[in-house]
Amino acid sequence: AAFAQSGVASSGTLKAGIEHAKLGNSVRANTGSVSVVDDSSRIIFNIVEDLGGGLQAIGQYDFPGTLDMGALSAAGNNHIGLRSKSWGRIFFGRQDLHYFNRESELTVRGSLRADSISLIAFAGAGTVAIAGATRTANVVHYTTPNWNGLTVIGAYSSNAAAAEADIASGVRKG
């Protein structure tokens, strides 16, 4: 028999509201709407397994949800990897690369749309948003240990927009 010392923690947020939008100077007959909206609700499972010597195996499965529609998706921050205080952290999977790596806690307390970094994601018409306002797929992500207050994050995606395919496929972009 094998007995694992894994720790599984569940967490998440439920955020919803009522939104009113009105178009000004419009020739359309319907210039306003009221709707129930979800604002980044999610259920998260984190797994930590001590491997000894300060090394841990880590994993996360993140289910973004929509309270207004009652649906869950597996398109969250999902990854597996290793971490230690002396080596840092490396993981592989699907991850937010442009959000949540700053001093502000606005997104945790409010909305992605309320944070200035999200201007990159919620760009206006005719522009292209970095990361397409979503998580980046097929990521190798490394975070250094904390060196006297300095931490460096490096990430690479072999194909940010789609699932990987075999080498003969045109899907693989690198």
Side-chain angles (χ1 to χ4, degrees), residues 49-57 82-84 87:
E49 172 76 32
D50 268 331
L51 301 176
L55 185 63
Q56 296 176 318
L82 298 169
R83 74 175 174 204
S84 81
W87 294 354

Side-chain angles (χ1 to χ4, degrees), residues 134-158:
T134 190
R135 290 151 191 91
T136 304
N138 306 303
V139 167
V140 177
H141 187 281
Y142 175 68
T143 305
T144 66
N146 185 326
W147 296 314
N148 295 320
L150 174 68
T151 303
V152 178
I153 297 172
Y156 171 77
S157 174
S158 58

Side-chain angles (χ1 to χ4, degrees), residues 64-137:
T66 53
L67 290 175
D68 53 342
M69 299 297 290
L72 285 177
S73 165
N77 291 319
N78 305 310
H79 57 261
I80 59 168
L82 298 169
R83 74 175 174 204
S84 81
K85 286 186 179 180
S86 57
W87 294 354
R89 175 180 70 161
I90 186 166
F91 61 80
F92 311 92
R94 180 181 178 89
Q95 190 68 29
D96 286 321
L97 296 181
H98 304 283
Y99 319 112
F100 308 112
N101 291 318
R102 65 205 169 282
E103 299 299 319
S104 170
E105 290 293 316
L106 262 171
T107 3
V108 175
R109 296 169 196 233
S111 163
L112 257 178
R113 291 178 274 179
D115 197 341
S116 60
I117 194 90
S118 294
L119 293 175
I120 295 169
F122 296 98
T127 60
V128 177
I130 294 174
T134 190
R135 290 151 191 91
T136 304

Side-chain angles (χ1 to χ4, degrees), residues 17-94:
I18 297 176
E19 192 171 79
H20 179 266
K22 183 170 176 68
L23 297 174
N25 298 328
S26 176
V27 296
R28 296 174 51 152
N30 184 6
T31 61
S33 70
V34 175
S35 55
V36 174
V37 294
D38 179 80
D39 202 6
S40 304
S41 296
R42 58 190 343 130
I43 298 170
I44 303 169
F45 296 97
N46 284 300
I47 301 162
V48 177
E49 172 76 32
D50 268 331
L51 301 176
L55 185 63
Q56 296 176 318
I58 57 172
Q60 177 176 298
Y61 217 84
D62 177 358
F63 295 95
T66 53
L67 290 175
D68 53 342
M69 299 297 290
L72 285 177
S73 165
N77 291 319
N78 305 310
H79 57 261
I80 59 168
L82 298 169
R83 74 175 174 204
S84 81
K85 286 186 179 180
S86 57
W87 294 354
R89 175 180 70 161
I90 186 166
F91 61 80
F92 311 92
R94 180 181 178 89

